[in-house]
Amino acid sequence: MRLITFLGTGNYAETRYTFNGQECQTRYVAAALATFLQADEITVLATEQAYTSHAQGLTEELERLQLPRPTIRRIPSGGNTDELWQQFGIISDAVTEGNVAQVSFDITHGFRAQPFFAAAVINYLRSTLDTVPAMQAFYGEWRKDEATSPIWDISTFIGLLNWSSSLQSFMKTGHGAGLATLAKQENATIQKAGQGERPRTLASLADSIRAFSDNISTVRVPQIITGKERGSASDVLAKIAQSKAEVRTHFMPLFPVLEQLQAKLQGIPADSLFSPQGHQAMLELAKLYVSYERYPEAAIVLREGWVSLYAETLGADEQQLKPDVRNNMESRWNAAEGKDSPERIADQIRNVRNDIQHGGFKEKDARNPANSLIRDLQILLDKFEAKLKA
């Protein structure tokens, strides 16, 4: 385990630091933490002034306590943009060098923006590297007029960074695997701790979000819209309603997102793909894909939604989805909206969808820019919406 600590310039007085039932008498919180955490490596980040004031004293204290000799790295004070980026690079290197399995940050004596940059580095590394060390963060509260001074584990803020990244991925793109995994991990931690009333619905919510994400990624339109099983919009909404109270209690970062997700999914469940409600649901699902900037999927849903308007009867969905029935439906659509119609909607949708699916490899599509495809897709969505309202 590597301890990364910021060295300040203050006049540090001796105290008895405490943490999880352990005690250590010392001037330096870094020495106490290294003792409590049984650090194998110690990296000290110090400005020139901090180095002059305390580098020797800290080194001697670590030696007295039979702790590893520190690696001391000079760090600029952060008085301008160039120095701030230097800080960022130095902290980043301190975390990643040597492929260490665990890193603990001591931010007690961080100067100016140093603790902020430590948090920024953690978030950056977690977002850009395939593997990063397990990370913790600590703060020592020196109490001048008391015999002991506690050290606080503030690693919750690192967990908040995890939540932030996973929630952003899900809400912006529909990819919910990371969020579901994190929710299940947090639920397992709570269950293991066994303190207070344990959550009963969170694991089920996580499973539903994961299955819904998989259905979104594979464009399982019937399962999303008319399904009642795990992974359908209906199931996600039901699980949200069941788990809201527990989420507010145990997973507060997730709570505001549930209301946003409810709003996104509210118009998607329907009893049939071929009813007015089902047509509207397909429009809402296509819009959801556009909001995720997942245009190929939006084009697929738009095309199938338009075809579904030409169902001849209101039979059960299973009947309507049989190949011969669906083929007849497509024929009626092409006859009504194809090359002989004024707007040739069927041809427009086919061109957009095929251009995307073939990756621009068709000669006539090779120079069609992405922004044109996105614009054309939005125009066709607007026309579909107008048709439903007519």
Side-chain angles (χ1 to χ4, degrees), residues 29-31 61 109 117-118 151 161 174 208 227 262 270 285 287 298 302 319 360-361 368:
V29 64
E61 182 68 354
H109 299 304
F117 267 80
I151 292 177
L161 294 176
S208 184
Q262 268 186 315
L285 182 58
K287 286 181 175 181
L302 175 61
Q319 177 67 27
F361 273 79
N368 199 10

Side-chain angles (χ1 to χ4, degrees), residues 320 322-332:
Q320 299 282 12
K322 287 183 175 181
D324 58 334
V325 176
R326 189 68 178 173
N327 288 339
N328 290 334
M329 211 179 298
E330 291 185 17
S331 296
R332 288 191 293 275

